[in-house]
Amino acid sequence: MALCADQPAAWRCLTRLGLISIPLALILGVIRLVYNRLWLSYVVNETVVALALAYLVAKTAEGFDGPTGRLLSLPPLQYVGKISYGIYLYHLFVLQAFWKFLSVAHLPLLDKGPLLFLILTPTTVAMAALSWKLLEEPLNGLKRHFPYQPEGVQALQPMLSGSQRRVPLRFPQKSHGQY
């Protein structure tokens, strides 16, 4: 994606390929449920899903409008976006803890994806929400004690401290589609 960001034709090609891969990923996912083949799993997980996610990331960078934009601006989805780093951090921990719990309780291990998803997703989201409320939000509140100065301002401070002259600092503005 980064290589295509400043090349409009390549960017369009990548996003079209990603858009096509979304229904293909869904179809192959259903086929994979019926025909449990290892090679199909690699095709779905490693290639098609990656292209679909690349499209979603690219489209998110551009911004969604219409019904999709309205859906993504709903408060519950925005909250999930706020705690998404916690979801990313804790999802494997929750999965491992769940499997450990099953083995300690001498219960059969679950290997069915949809059932695991239905059990572990709410648990992971709850853990991420607690982490946000008890850890991340209070730590983010400490940022006010450490004012942010863009790179370059600190290098100019010795020059400015000896004089009263104020130099307006100009930083390059990022244009749309530039990373």
Side-chain angles (χ1 to χ4, degrees):
M1 286 178 46
L3 296 174
C4 298
D6 61 349
Q7 300 173 12
W11 184 261
R12 281 192 304 277
C13 181
L14 177 69
T15 55
R16 285 185 189 136
L17 185 61
L19 183 59
I20 292 167
S21 69
I22 292 174
L24 183 60
L26 294 173
I27 291 167
L28 288 174
V30 169
I31 291 172
R32 190 175 143 230
L33 289 174
V34 176
Y35 301 104
N36 192 11
R37 300 283 187 262
L38 188 60
W39 69 267
L40 188 58
S41 175
Y42 284 120
V43 170
V44 171
N45 291 335
E46 302 298 328
T47 306
V48 178
V49 172
L51 287 171
L53 293 174
Y55 168 75
L56 291 175
V57 169
K59 187 63 182 160
T60 301
E62 293 173 5
F64 287 98
D65 53 2
T68 306
R70 286 191 295 279
L71 175 70
L72 293 175
S73 65
L74 291 173
L77 289 179
Q78 289 203 349
Y79 182 72
V80 168
K82 185 188 294 188
I83 65 169
S84 63
Y85 184 66
I87 294 171
Y88 163 73
L89 278 179
Y90 297 121
H91 78 281
L92 287 178
F93 170 76
V94 169
L95 178 64
Q96 291 296 322
F98 181 71
W99 278 339
K100 187 66 172 174
F101 168 76
L102 289 179
S103 70
V104 168
H106 302 294
L107 296 171
L109 293 178
L110 293 174
D111 62 351
K112 301 295 182 207
L115 185 57
L116 277 175
F117 180 82
L118 289 174
I119 294 169
L120 298 180
T121 298
T123 307
T124 304
V125 169
M127 190 169 200
L130 279 172
S131 173
W132 171 259
K133 198 68 179 161
L134 300 175
L135 186 66
E136 294 174 64
E137 194 175 37
L139 287 174
N140 278 332
L142 297 175
K143 288 181 182 179
R144 68 181 182 276
H145 299 295
F146 303 95
Y148 171 73
Q149 286 188 325
E151 196 174 306
V153 173
Q154 293 171 346
L156 293 174
Q157 288 303 331
M159 292 185 291
L160 296 176
S161 63
S163 70
Q164 297 298 329
R165 188 174 68 130
R166 299 284 179 221
V167 178
L169 299 175
R170 304 222 186 267
F171 297 99
Q173 298 294 319
K174 290 183 180 179
S175 65
H176 180 69
Q178 192 178 29
Y179 297 98

